[in-house]
Amino acid sequence: MSLDDKTYIETTSAERGIELQSVSQLGGTQADEHEMRILGRTQQLNRNFRFISTLGFACTLMSTWEISLMTSFFSLLNGGTAGMIWGYFFVWMGYMLVFASMAEMASISPTSGGQYHWVSEFSPPRAQKFMSYITGWVSVLGWQVGLASLAFLVGTMIQGLLVLNNPDYVFKNWHGTLLVVAITAFCIIFNTFLAKKLPMVEGIILIFHVLGFFAVLIPLWVLGPRGDPKQVFTEFLNLGGWQTDGLSFMVGLLAPVYTLIGADSAVHMAEEIKDASVVLPRAIMTAATVNGSMGFIMVLTFCFTLGNAFDVIFSPTGYPFIQAFFNVTKSNAGTSIMTAIIIVNITSACISTVATVSRQTWSFARDGGLPFSSFIATVKPGWNIPLNSVILTFIITALLSLINIGSVTAFHAIGSLALNAILGTYLISFSIMILRRFRGPLPPHRWSLGKYGLFVNIGAAAFLLIVWVFVFFPLTPTVTPETMNWSILMFGCTMTFAVMYYVLVGKHTYKSPVDLIKRDD
C-alpha cells in the first residue's frame, strides 16, 4: 500500500472496535477493509473485480456504440442526422459531468447502495431517512425495469433479423416475451453458476466490444455511400409532428440519453472491487471517455453512410440500422453477421445489468427498505453473491415481459420509466451533494474533483433537469392510448406504494445507512 493510502487511512475515522470479517480473505485491500468499517458494513461478497474487469463491466453494460444504433429510429424521427449528431454530442458532454460527480461520490463512499446511501449520508439529518428510502425505491425500480427494457431490445433485434431473412415472418408479441425470458435466463447462469468467472468474462467481453466496433465500422466506411457533410450536419427532420424543430430535437434527446445511461452501473459492484475507492472512479471516467468516443464515431459513421433517411427510418425490420447494413452490404448474410455482433454485445450488457440490478436490490434490502428484505438480503455461505436477489431479478423481468403480450405500447413505456427513475436518482444525489458542499468540507477521499467539484455538480444537475423533463413526453404531440407515455402512471403507482409501505412498515424496518457510518468529519 502506498504512502498516500496510509495517509488517507490515518486521516479518516479510526476503527471503533467493530468486529468485521477480514476483507483480505475475500480479496480486498487494507483500504477496502478500513472503508467498510467506516461505512459500518460487513464484507460478504468476494472482491474479484480489478480495474480492467471493472472497466469491461462499465463499458459493456453501457454498450454505447451498439445502443446508439439501436435507438437511431427515435433520433432520426425527431431530429434527422443533424439532430442525431448534435444531440449525442450535447448529451455526452452533459453525461461527462454526471460521470465525474458520480466518480467522486463513489470514492467517498464505495458501497453497493450507491445513490440512496449518498443521499442518506449527505442529506440534512431530519430529511435523510425518508429521502434515502425514496431514492432507494426509485433506484431499484429504474434498474429492474431497465433490465427488462434492454432484454426486450435484444429480442426485437432477433425478430428484425427474422423479418430480413424471412419476409413471411409475422411479429407476434408473445414471441418477444419468450425471447426476453430466454435472454434473461441465459444471463442468470453467468451471475450464479459462473459468478466467480464473471470478472474474467467481463474482460473478454470488453475485447469483443472493441473488436465488434471495428467489425461494424469498417464495412460501413468501405462499402457505404457518402453523405454530403452540409446536409448531414445541418439538416434537421421533424417527422414526429412537433410544433417546432427545436422541440422535436429536444424530444429526440431521449435516444442518446438512453444510449449513455448507466453512470452508476459499476458503483453497485463497489463491494466486489479491489481497492474500490480508487479503482471505481478511474474505471467510471475511463468508461465515459472510451465509450462516449466510440459512440460518437459510430453515430457520425452511421449518419454519413445510411443513404436515404426515409428508407431506413421506416424499415420493415423495425430498426433503421439493420436496413442501413443491408443497403451497404447488399447481402442478407453480411447484414445478419453485423447485426449478430450487436446482439451478442447487448446480450453481454444484459449479463452486466443483471449483476448491477441484483446488487442494488440486495443492498437496499440489506437496509430493510423492501418487503421480504431479510430473504432478499441473504447471502448463502459458499456462494458469496446475493443469490436470492439474482433469482428475484429474473422473476421480476419475466413478469414484466408479460406486459408485452397485452400491449407493446405499455411495454415500450418501461424503457422511459427506467430513464426517468435512474435520472431522478442522479438528480437527487447531486442536489444533495451541492447542499453538502455549502455546509462544509467533504470527508477525505482518494479521488477528488478538487476546487471544480461544486461547478461540476451544478452543471450535472442542470443538465439532468433539462433532459429529465423531456423523458416524460409522449411519443407524438397527439396523445392517444397508443402514444401516451405510460411511464408517468407506472412511476406514480410505484411511488404511491413505496410511501404507503414506508408509513405502515418501512419507517420501522428501514435502517438508513448514515446511522451505521462512523466518520470523524
Side-chain angles (χ1 to χ4, degrees):
M1 186 171 53
S2 68
L3 179 62
D4 288 342
D5 291 349
K6 290 181 180 178
T7 302
Y8 159 72
I9 291 178
E10 290 172 358
T11 56
T12 53
S13 303
E15 297 179 10
R16 304 297 182 87
I18 303 172
E19 294 185 3
L20 298 175
Q21 182 178 358
S22 175
V23 175
S24 60
Q25 294 178 5
L26 296 173
T29 66
Q30 187 175 346
D32 292 323
E33 185 173 359
H34 177 73
E35 284 156 358
M36 291 296 284
R37 286 173 176 162
I38 289 176
L39 298 175
R41 297 297 187 186
T42 300
Q43 183 69 35
Q44 295 179 282
L45 310 179
N46 284 316
R47 290 187 180 265
N48 293 327
F49 284 80
R50 307 297 188 265
F51 175 76
I52 293 298
S53 53
T54 305
L55 176 62
F57 183 93
C59 285
T60 56
L61 185 145
M62 293 177 66
S63 294
T64 304
W65 72 262
E66 298 94 335
I67 296 181
S68 68
L69 294 176
M70 293 170 59
T71 57
S72 57
F73 170 80
F74 204 76
S75 291
L76 293 174
L77 189 72
N78 296 285
T81 56
M84 187 173 181
I85 292 172
W86 296 116
Y88 180 95
F89 185 77
F90 168 73
V91 171
W92 180 27
M93 292 299 100
Y95 262 120
M96 289 301 293
L97 301 176
V98 172
F99 274 89
S101 299
M102 194 76 63
E104 185 175 43
M105 297 175 82
S107 184
I108 296 173
S109 295
T111 167
S112 298
Q115 295 93 303
Y116 86 87
H117 176 103
W118 301 330
V119 169
S120 176
E121 182 170 357
F122 299 130
S123 290
R126 291 184 178 181
Q128 66 83 18
K129 184 172 183 177
F130 181 72
M131 287 290 293
S132 66
Y133 170 85
I134 290 298
T135 304
W137 263 91
V138 174
S139 187
V140 170
L141 170 67
W143 277 107
Q144 288 287 353
V145 299
L147 172 61
S149 173
L150 193 62
F152 180 73
L153 288 176
V154 178
T156 53
M157 273 197 296
I158 294 173
Q159 288 182 294
L161 281 184
L162 290 173
V163 171
L164 176 69
N165 291 281
N166 180 13
D168 295 329
Y169 172 74
V170 179
F171 270 85
K172 296 292 185 181
N173 292 358
W174 63 271
H175 292 177
T177 295
L178 289 180
L179 285 169
V180 169
V181 174
I183 291 163
T184 308
F186 174 76
C187 297
I188 293 296
I189 294 174
F190 278 89
N191 281 273
T192 51
F193 300 107
L194 301 177
K196 292 183 179 179
K197 302 294 183 181
L198 188 58
M200 181 187 69
V201 171
E202 294 295 346
I204 295 173
I205 292 173
L206 176 60
I207 296 173
F208 196 78
H209 174 65
V210 175
L211 293 179
F213 170 75
F214 290 104
V216 171
L217 189 77
I218 293 174
L220 290 177
W221 276 121
V222 172
L223 302 175
R226 295 291 186 274
D228 176 61
K230 182 179 180 180
Q231 182 181 26
V232 170
F233 282 107
T234 63
E235 185 177 276
F236 290 85
L237 295 179
N238 181 4
L239 302 180
W242 298 96
Q243 292 180 340
T244 66
D245 289 348
L247 183 57
S248 176
F249 170 77
M250 295 303 295
V251 173
L253 291 181
L254 176 65
V257 168
Y258 187 90
T259 297
L260 290 157
I261 195 75
D264 62 317
S265 59
V267 169
H268 301 300
M269 303 297 292
E271 294 174 39
E272 296 171 67
I273 298 173
K274 186 174 182 178
D275 210 15
S277 59
V278 169
V279 169
L280 181 54
R282 288 176 180 171
I284 288 173
M285 294 310 297
T286 304
T289 304
V290 172
N291 255 24
S293 300
M294 293 170 68
F296 190 56
I297 293 171
M298 186 58 73
V299 165
L300 286 173
T301 300
F302 178 70
C303 289
F304 267 94
T305 60
L306 60 81
N308 188 304
F310 291 92
D311 180 33
V312 299
I313 291 174
F314 301 106
S315 168
T317 64
Y319 284 99
F321 78 88
I322 296 180
Q323 186 64 48
F325 289 174
F326 180 78
N327 294 343
V328 167
T329 63
K330 308 298 182 183
S331 164
N332 283 4
T335 302
S336 298
I337 292 172
M338 293 172 69
T339 304
I341 292 173
I342 297 177
I343 291 174
V344 170
N345 283 359
I346 301 299
T347 302
S348 302
C350 289
I351 294 174
S352 301
T353 304
V354 168
T356 293
V357 173
S358 58
R359 271 60 171 185
Q360 168 68 88
T361 304
W362 164 76
S363 180
F364 194 48
R366 178 176 60 178
D367 289 328
L370 297 172
F372 312 106
S373 285
S374 59
F375 172 79
I376 299 171
T378 299
V379 177
K380 295 184 180 297
W383 284 83
N384 294 118
I385 61 169
L387 181 61
N388 291 352
S389 182
V390 173
I391 295 173
L392 175 64
T393 297
F394 171 73
I395 294 173
I396 291 175
T397 301
L399 292 175
L400 287 174
S401 70
L402 297 177
I403 297 175
N404 182 58
I405 297 177
S407 172
V408 176
T409 301
F411 193 85
H412 279 317
I414 287 180
S416 178
L417 176 60
L419 277 182
N420 62 51
I422 295 175
L423 292 179
T425 65
Y426 296 170
L427 187 58
I428 295 171
S429 300
F430 299 159
S431 299
I432 295 298
M433 186 67 161
I434 292 169
L435 292 176
R436 177 63 172 80
R437 287 184 185 276
F438 283 114
R439 288 166 50 206
L442 299 177
H445 48 292
R446 303 162 74 193
W447 193 94
S448 174
L449 293 172
K451 61 183 179 180
Y452 303 105
L454 177 62
F455 302 102
V456 172
N457 295 157
I458 292 175
F463 162 75
L464 290 170
L465 187 60
I466 293 171
V467 299
W468 190 59
V469 170
F470 288 95
V471 171
F472 286 100
F473 269 52
L475 298 178
T476 65
T478 304
V479 181
T480 66
E482 289 73 28
T483 61
M484 171 68 181
N485 190 339
W486 293 98
S487 65
I488 301 175
L489 178 62
M490 296 176 183
F491 186 85
C493 291
T494 304
M495 289 301 98
T496 300
F497 175 81
V499 172
M500 292 177 60
Y501 183 79
Y502 180 81
V503 172
L504 298 175
V505 180
K507 65 180 179 181
H508 305 295
T509 61
Y510 176 60
K511 303 179 293 295
S512 52
V514 73
D515 296 331
L516 302 175
I517 296 172
K518 302 183 181 301
R519 297 192 189 274
D520 290 333
D521 57 351

